[in-house]
């Protein structure tokens, strides 16, 4: 599978590269575009401030440019938190998308979004201040209405970015469970 994996608001940190290595070791070809052009951040607030300075349109422009050389291959889009939001936006607009792997995040869905049974898997903490229960219920219904085939996995007690071993949110058990399920999902595509 060809996977485009987008980083979180912390930037292209070692955890994203480690995830790409894990996916590559499982036989997938993985790209990790650096939407922040080399900048990484120690706190979510710093990363969000930088992202706000770039703006959503510019961030998506950078993502589209990163994806363009590979989109004919039929990509699986994936991402962490902010990167999941970017991945979702691109996957819903790419008729050749093969799947969508969302880790720690989702995004708004355009009312006109339409896909043909796009396989989608979401992994989030429970609870998660960024992905509340009400939001996730609404998101799920909107994704189904758009035509996606959605699976949601919740991890009780884990922090928001629980797959990043360098952050306080890290939860080794939840992270390993996530990767086991996610690799199975990718193998099924």
């Amino acid at each position: 599978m060809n996977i485009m994996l987008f980083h979180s608001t912390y930037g292209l940190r070692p955890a994203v590269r480690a995830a790409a290595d894990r996916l590559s070791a499982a036989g997938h070809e993985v790209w990790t575009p650096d939407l922040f052009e080399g900048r990484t951040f120690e706190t979510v607030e710093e990363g969000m401030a930088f992202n706000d300075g770039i703006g959503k349109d510019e961030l998506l422009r950078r993502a589209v440019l990163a994806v363009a050389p590979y989109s004919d291959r039929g990509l699986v889009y994936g991402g962490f938190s902010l990167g999941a939001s970017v991945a979702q936006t691109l996957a819903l607009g790419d008729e050749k998308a093969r799947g969508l792997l969302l880790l720690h995040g989702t995004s708004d869905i355009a009312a006109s979004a339409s896909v043909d049974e796009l396989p989608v898997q979401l992994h989030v903490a429970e609870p998660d201040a960024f992905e509340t229960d009400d939001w996730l219920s609404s998101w799920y219904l909107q994704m189904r209405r758009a035509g996606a085939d959605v699976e949601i996995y919740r991890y009780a007690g884990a922090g928001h970015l629980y797959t990043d071993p360098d952050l306080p949110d890290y939860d080794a058990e939840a992270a390993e469970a996530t990767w086991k399920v996610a690799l199975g999902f990718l193998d099924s595509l």
Side-chain angles (χ1 to χ4, degrees), residues 50-169:
F50 182 78
N51 181 50
D52 289 346
I54 293 173
K56 186 176 183 175
D57 289 344
E58 174 61 18
L59 190 72
L60 285 175
R61 185 190 72 77
R62 292 176 184 186
V64 167
L65 288 174
V67 166
Y70 309 102
S71 61
D72 282 349
R73 300 179 187 199
L75 294 170
V76 172
Y77 292 88
F80 298 89
S81 193
L82 169 70
S85 172
V86 170
Q88 177 186 306
T89 300
L90 294 180
L92 291 179
D94 181 354
E95 63 188 31
K96 292 183 181 181
R98 301 279 309 274
L100 177 58
L101 177 61
L102 303 172
L103 302 163
H104 322 295
T106 60
S107 183
D108 295 331
I109 302 164
S112 61
S114 178
V115 293
D116 187 16
E117 290 299 311
L118 178 71
V120 177
Q121 194 174 84
L122 168 64
H123 297 266
V124 290
E126 182 179 27
D128 188 321
F130 296 102
E131 301 291 325
T132 65
D133 290 343
D134 288 346
W135 167 260
L136 286 175
S137 294
S138 174
W139 175 86
Y140 175 82
L141 292 173
Q142 290 176 55
M143 287 295 279
R144 292 294 299 149
R145 193 170 18 255
D149 181 12
V150 182
E151 298 176 343
I152 299 176
Y153 294 86
R154 306 287 308 267
Y155 300 87
H160 175 66
L161 271 167
Y162 64 84
T163 59
D164 188 328
D166 296 325
L167 295 177
D169 288 347

Side-chain angles (χ1 to χ4, degrees), residues 1-2 8 15 18 22 32 51 57 79 88-89 93 114 129 168 178 180:
M1 209 46 52
N2 296 302
S8 75
R22 182 183 287 232
T32 55
N51 181 50
D57 289 344
Q88 177 186 306
T89 300
S114 178
T178 294
K180 181 178 180 183

